[in-house]
Amino acid sequence: MKIKNIIAPNMTEAFAKVREQLGDDAVIISSENTADGKVQVTAALEDDFELSFDDRDEMEIIPVQKNWSDKYLRECLEYHGLVQTVGEKIMAVARQISAEQNLSDDKIILEKTLNRLFRYADILDVSQPVKLFMGTPGSGKSTAIAKTATQAKFRKIPTCIVSTDNVRAGANKQLEAFAGILELDFYFCKDEKTLRRTVDEALRKYRLILVDTPGINPFVASEVDRVARFAEAVKCRGILTVDTGRNTLEAVEIADIFAGLGADCLLPTRLDLTRRIGSVLSVAACCKFCFCAASVSASIANGLAPIDSSSLAKLILNQA
Ligand SMILES: Nc1nc2c(ncn2[C@@H]2O[C@H](COP(=O)(O)OP(=O)(O)OP(=O)(O)O)[C@@H](O)[C@H]2O)c(=O)[nH]1
Ligand SMILES: [Mg+2]
């Protein structure tokens, strides 16, 4: 891993220098203001070997065996605690793929299975510029927005942050302060009318508009309505943040309500605090959500981790 400390007059120039010296794949590890008013950024670039989940080349030379024992995969899925029907579906598709393609390696079979069963999206996909983050209180919406904004800034995507959180005291101050550090524009919209107007104008200027919403109890209609009004006001991609450690059935029930508000993208949070990912796999399968990224740390500087069939397979197989 290459690590560099970069000092620059401001964050924009610091990011430019990081990109110039380490390339687009560098990750910001920390940033702070120096005593003389400059910005010091520590950035890292992992070696290709460490970065890659992709061992397809290796896979090609694994000798093909006809008889795959599904025992290990079954045990892994049991450990993760999926909704029963989702676990059964994964096993059925895995068996089918193993037979069709004459495969016997657990990871290859599972990866292909997860590719067939789940969808994956890029959180920085600008073809859907308005991303509306929603979820239960404390599920990690604002942190995920801050992390997405950091990555967008790093990729030089013109981005702004919009808060609609008029419920939690201090919620806006926190996000506004963060936008300030990143030198991004910040807007607060108290109601859906203001949001519609703000987004209409913002679409002319930015390629990514990250909208925060108040954390709600999905079992209380008046609270659901609060977010529904914002979600209906703008054409957006709804991103649901789900604490991975949640009870699986609760998570699916909650996600189903947010799906009704237009959410179709899943961003698991607190992956660092849990070993079992049955809740998020079940949400994605039962509510037809695509995975867009994951939060694996409370630290904003650590960014979001990408999710694909390979990283999911790794998580599933490594934890049994
Ligand atoms: N360990 C860990 N902590 C996280 C992660 N994501 C968020 N947190 C922490 O969880 C807490 C809540 O995160 P927020 O981003 O404020 O959650 P929120 O959904 O915006 O909360 P409300 O606005 O109150 O509904 C904070 O202390 C975060 O630092 C994560 O991936 N890992
Ligand atoms: Mg928040």
Side-chain angles (χ1 to χ4, degrees), residues 1-310:
M1 179 186 278
K2 282 186 206 133
I3 296 187
K4 282 213 175 251
N5 275 321
I6 282 158
I7 297 178
N10 55 45
M11 202 55 104
T12 309
E13 286 187 34
F15 279 163
K17 278 194 181 173
V18 169
R19 205 176 308 105
E20 187 187 299
Q21 295 184 24
L22 292 177
D24 277 351
D25 290 327
V27 177
I28 305 293
I29 296 175
S30 67
S31 66
E32 58 190 65
N33 293 324
T34 60
D36 56 352
K38 292 186 175 169
V39 177
Q40 175 168 336
V41 167
T42 306
L45 179 66
E46 297 205 45
D47 298 333
D48 281 353
F49 172 74
E50 286 178 293
L51 251 188
S52 175
F53 281 119
D54 191 358
D55 36 16
R56 274 187 197 89
D57 292 344
E58 236 171 81
M59 291 170 189
E60 300 307 329
I61 56 166
I62 291 171
V64 170
Q65 292 167 21
K66 284 198 173 165
N67 304 316
W68 172 57
S69 163
D70 61 14
K71 183 170 177 285
Y72 183 65
L73 179 55
R74 203 167 359 95
E75 284 171 4
C76 289
L77 292 175
E78 274 165 22
Y79 171 89
H80 284 280
L82 288 88
V83 167
Q84 198 184 338
T85 48
V86 177
E88 283 166 6
K89 176 85 184 171
I90 291 175
M91 286 308 301
V93 173
R95 276 187 218 107
Q96 194 187 351
I97 286 175
S98 152
E100 275 169 9
Q101 303 181 27
N102 233 352
L103 296 169
S104 60
D105 181 275
D106 288 318
K107 176 142 191 289
I108 301 172
I109 293 169
L110 181 57
E111 214 180 295
K112 286 176 181 274
T113 303
L114 298 173
N115 242 340
R116 196 177 285 183
L117 288 176
F118 296 103
R119 293 173 302 127
Y120 308 88
D122 178 3
I123 191 136
L124 297 180
D125 172 18
V126 294
S127 66
Q128 286 169 308
V130 186
K131 319 275 186 204
L132 192 119
F133 288 68
M134 47 180 117
T136 52
S139 58
K141 299 174 290 300
S142 305
T143 305
I145 286 187
K147 289 180 174 194
T148 310
T150 307
Q151 279 174 223
K153 172 93 185 177
F154 193 61
R155 292 269 157 104
K156 284 193 162 170
I157 301 171
T159 301
C160 70
I161 296 177
V162 179
S163 175
T164 60
D165 190 346
N166 48 16
V167 176
R168 192 166 66 77
N172 297 315
K173 288 277 159 287
Q174 198 183 16
L175 214 48
E176 187 173 12
F178 184 76
I181 292 170
L182 276 183
E183 296 163 359
L184 295 179
D185 290 331
F186 174 85
Y187 303 90
F188 170 65
C189 300
K190 64 178 188 335
D191 55 29
E192 62 273 23
K193 248 190 194 161
T194 328
L195 178 68
R196 191 178 301 124
R197 208 174 44 237
T198 304
V199 166
D200 278 350
E201 280 172 26
L203 281 167
R204 296 193 202 116
K205 208 167 154 194
Y206 310 97
R207 297 184 68 208
L208 212 48
I209 299 163
L210 306 174
V211 184
D212 200 9
T213 61
I216 53 159
N217 179 344
F219 304 119
V220 175
S222 59
E223 296 199 20
V224 174
D225 186 49
R226 205 180 284 152
V227 170
R229 278 186 277 128
F230 288 123
E232 282 163 14
V234 288
K235 189 164 175 278
C236 60
R237 177 138 225 196
I239 296 176
L240 176 66
T241 50
V242 173
D243 179 349
T244 312
R246 248 187 187 279
N247 170 283
T248 295
L249 295 178
E250 291 285 350
V252 171
E253 215 170 316
I254 287 170
D256 198 40
I257 297 170
F258 282 101
L261 301 181
D264 73 339
C265 230
L266 179 60
L267 196 156
T269 62
R270 296 210 183 85
L271 258 178
D272 52 315
L273 295 177
T274 177
R275 292 287 167 264
R276 290 169 174 82
I277 62 167
S279 60
V280 292
L281 290 169
S282 301
V283 164
C286 296
C287 307
K288 298 191 170 52
F289 276 54
C290 67
F291 288 102
C292 60
S295 180
V296 293
S297 141
S299 161
I300 289 162
N302 283 349
L304 293 168
I307 287 205
D308 58 16
S309 57
S310 180

